[in-house]
Amino acid sequence: MEHPEPMDRDRSWGVWSATVAIFSEPPPAVWHYTDPAGLVGIVSSRRLWATSTKLLNDPTELAYGLDRISEWYRGYQPSDGLPSVQTALQRVSVPEHRQRMVAESSVFVTSASHDHDSIGQWRAYAATSGYAIRFETRERLSVFPDKRRREQLVHDTPWATVAYDPERQQELIGLVVDGIQDPTNNVASLERSSSKPGYREAAFRLASDELLALAACIKPPQFEDEKEVRLIARLGRGEQPLFRATARGVLPYAPVGIAHPYDGDPHGKAPQATLQLPITEVRVGPPDGPTMTQRIAGVKALLDASDLGSAPVNPSEIKYLP
């Protein structure tokens, strides 16, 4: 595929902000639950690791959201829908086409919660020696391209609140599909230039990724107690993910942080080598006991060494994990 040129001086089709986030605004702060290795990695690198939607912890998560979109589409009566969006919606309903959409997805997600002290989150993500990191959601986060690709623009990366209620899910799907087809959306901009090489395919890929981002923000009602919020990220054209080793094997991820220009780049089109994150508190998870004081002291030392010493460190109010 030949990649389209930027549509104007300030924006290219690779710059993307998930439409789902417009209709599912998160709280002012969210909590990311992680284990000791995750805490050290996030604080030391100043970046969050957004995991590919192809390899989420629960492989059925995306399938549930896509099933809900497919059910909604069966009752959809489009008027003047964009061809790329209609094609993407049709393919969600066909198993082999859906599998290909997921396999070719550029969407990455990171999970967090509204709840600062959730027993379910401690169990699922932080075991018996975990931490919850508080992030301010008002800060503009971005996916960072490889530093060698300095001409790339950084990509807006929004937080979106997960929908659990079936009625809310139906409403959200309708709002997002309409939003994707809004004339000011990047998909519509690409459609208007579809006669140019690569633009029609780019419009379809972007519409597909918007639907996959939506599916990642729809979960079964029985998980409502998680109060989950998701950071939705996307790699731009020509960008490759990074990789990390986990107990589940090798996982592709995208680094996310606050964008600042390199020194000497007056256009601000490249991210700073040293990233930042809006970390404002760390909570040390259960169980309570003789090791809690030591675990708190260790986190404080880590934050002090990383110029984050002003962020408070507090213990969980849950005494143990049953």
Side-chain angles (χ1 to χ4, degrees):
M1 167 185 166
E2 182 180 348
H3 293 301
E5 294 300 318
M7 290 180 288
D8 55 48
R9 184 177 61 182
D10 300 316
R11 185 176 65 175
S12 78
W13 69 270
V15 181
W16 174 81
S17 183
T19 304
V20 65
I22 299 172
F23 305 106
S24 52
E25 185 175 352
V30 297
W31 297 83
H32 176 69
Y33 288 74
T34 188
D35 58 19
L39 174 69
V40 171
I42 291 169
V43 171
S44 300
S45 68
R46 297 293 208 281
R47 59 179 81 185
L48 278 169
W49 302 325
T51 301
S52 171
T53 50
K54 293 178 279 191
L55 294 165
L56 296 176
N57 285 344
D58 181 355
T60 66
E61 282 188 20
L62 210 58
Y64 176 84
L66 291 171
D67 283 343
R68 296 292 290 153
I69 294 171
S70 179
E71 291 170 10
W72 176 90
Y73 181 62
R74 285 197 288 270
Y76 179 50
Q77 299 294 328
S79 52
D80 297 318
L82 296 177
S84 59
V85 178
Q86 302 307 310
T87 300
L89 285 166
Q90 292 165 7
R91 294 192 178 187
V92 165
S93 302
V94 181
E96 57 268 29
H97 291 164
R98 176 192 293 190
Q99 292 170 5
R100 182 174 178 182
M101 284 175 64
V102 174
E104 295 178 348
S105 169
S106 298
V107 180
F108 293 70
V109 300
T110 292
S111 294
S113 176
H114 291 225
D115 195 337
H116 72 284
D117 206 7
S118 164
I119 192 168
Q121 293 285 335
W122 290 124
R123 284 173 174 166
Y125 301 107
T128 57
S129 58
Y131 307 91
I133 308 171
R134 185 178 191 266
F135 294 107
E136 301 295 322
T137 61
R138 67 175 179 271
E139 297 283 359
R140 176 180 178 269
L141 299 180
S142 301
V143 175
F144 288 82
D146 188 288
K147 287 183 289 186
R148 292 169 295 181
R149 299 182 63 82
R150 293 169 61 93
E151 77 281 3
Q152 294 280 11
L153 293 169
V154 296
H155 313 313
D156 288 347
T157 304
W159 293 95
T161 297
V162 171
Y164 300 96
D165 177 70
E167 291 186 6
R168 171 56 181 160
Q169 292 169 357
Q170 288 289 100
E171 177 189 27
L172 183 62
I173 293 168
L175 290 171
V176 170
V177 171
D178 287 346
I180 296 172
Q181 301 184 101
D182 187 279
T184 62
N185 190 290
N186 281 358
V187 176
S189 298
L190 288 164
E191 286 274 10
R192 288 193 291 271
S193 301
S194 60
S195 60
K196 298 180 181 179
Y199 275 73
R200 186 181 300 277
E201 177 68 12
F204 167 72
R205 292 293 173 211
L206 188 53
S208 297
D209 280 350
E210 291 273 19
L211 293 181
L212 290 170
L214 170 61
C217 293
I218 294 174
K219 297 186 71 173
Q222 60 264 34
F223 295 103
E224 187 173 7
D225 288 346
E226 294 180 348
K227 300 178 182 177
E228 192 169 353
V229 180
R230 286 194 151 173
L231 185 73
I232 308 295
R234 180 179 185 266
L235 293 181
R237 53 173 180 158
E239 295 172 9
Q240 297 298 323
L242 302 179
F243 296 88
R244 59 191 178 97
T246 74
R248 295 190 293 120
V250 177
L251 294 185
Y253 75 93
V256 176
I258 298 176
H260 288 283
Y262 279 109
D263 292 338
D265 183 355
H267 303 295
K269 291 186 177 181
Q272 186 178 343
T274 301
L275 309 184
Q276 299 178 26
L277 279 175
I279 297 174
T280 55
E281 184 179 347
V282 176
R283 187 166 289 266
V284 180
D288 194 9
T291 64
M292 179 60 80
T293 300
Q294 183 177 6
R295 292 164 65 203
I296 290 175
V299 176
K300 287 182 176 178
L302 173 65
L303 297 180
D304 286 340
S306 305
D307 297 325
L308 291 169
S310 62
V313 180
N314 296 306
S316 167
E317 296 171 5
I318 299 172
K319 299 303 181 183
Y320 64 96
L321 288 179

